[in-house]
């Protein structure tokens, strides 16, 4: 029996992590809105990539995008893992790209979200 399955009467049932409505919490430099803004929008973090989203992208734009990515995007991660990764090609604030959202399924909090640019 795999660690991610339960045996019942000789049959295995695979446990899949479900994601509710993803929430962008305020967070810190490693996750949530603070991380997303500093590392992927403003570029005001010396160690960050910055300037990945279109200029003027707001928290509300990112929240709406994450909901769409998780709701109708493609899951890239193993469904039994706590951290879930979803990708979707879409337009956010006028910029069309493939976007990636990373969500902690324990509390549906968004770890990060960003456009996948330059061959990543």
């Amino acid at each position: 029996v795999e660690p991610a399955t339960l045996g019942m009467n000789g049959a295995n049932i695979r446990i899949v992590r479900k994601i509710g409505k993803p929430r962008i919490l305020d967070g810190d430099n490693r996750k949530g809105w603070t991380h997303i803004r500093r590392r992927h929008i403003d570029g005001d973090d010396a160690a960050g990539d910055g300037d990945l989203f279109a200029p003027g992208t707001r928290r509300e734009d990112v929240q709406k995008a994450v909901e769409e990515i998780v709701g109708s995007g493609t899951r890239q991660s193993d469904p039994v893992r706590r951290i879930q990764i979803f990708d979707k090609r879409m337009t956010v604030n006028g910029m069309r790209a493939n976007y990636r959202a990373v969500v902690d399924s324990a509390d549906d909090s968004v770890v990060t979200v960003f456009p996948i640019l330059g061959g990543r």
Side-chain angles (χ1 to χ4, degrees), residues 3-93:
T5 61
L6 296 174
M8 285 180 87
N9 300 328
N12 290 332
I13 300 170
R14 188 166 174 86
I15 300 168
V16 176
R17 295 245 183 205
K18 298 289 184 188
I19 303 291
K21 181 179 177 184
R23 303 172 301 129
I24 300 177
L25 303 177
D26 291 341
D28 55 31
N29 286 332
R30 295 178 46 130
K31 63 183 179 179
W33 178 245
T34 299
H35 165 81
I36 295 164
R37 184 182 51 77
R38 291 181 134 188
R39 295 288 307 268
H40 307 309
I41 296 176
D42 293 342
D44 63 356
D45 184 312
D49 299 320
D51 296 337
L52 297 179
F53 282 90
T57 301
R58 301 166 305 150
R59 186 172 183 162
E60 297 79 23
D61 300 326
V62 177
Q63 177 65 48
K64 184 177 173 185
V66 169
E67 291 171 16
E68 186 172 340
I69 295 165
V70 171
S72 63
T74 304
R75 186 187 306 254
Q76 300 298 323
S77 54
D78 185 333
V80 301
R81 297 218 178 255
R82 176 178 169 170
I83 302 299
Q84 294 293 299
I85 302 169
F86 298 87
D87 289 351
K88 181 172 175 136
R89 182 151 187 87
M90 58 188 289
T91 302
V92 177
N93 194 27

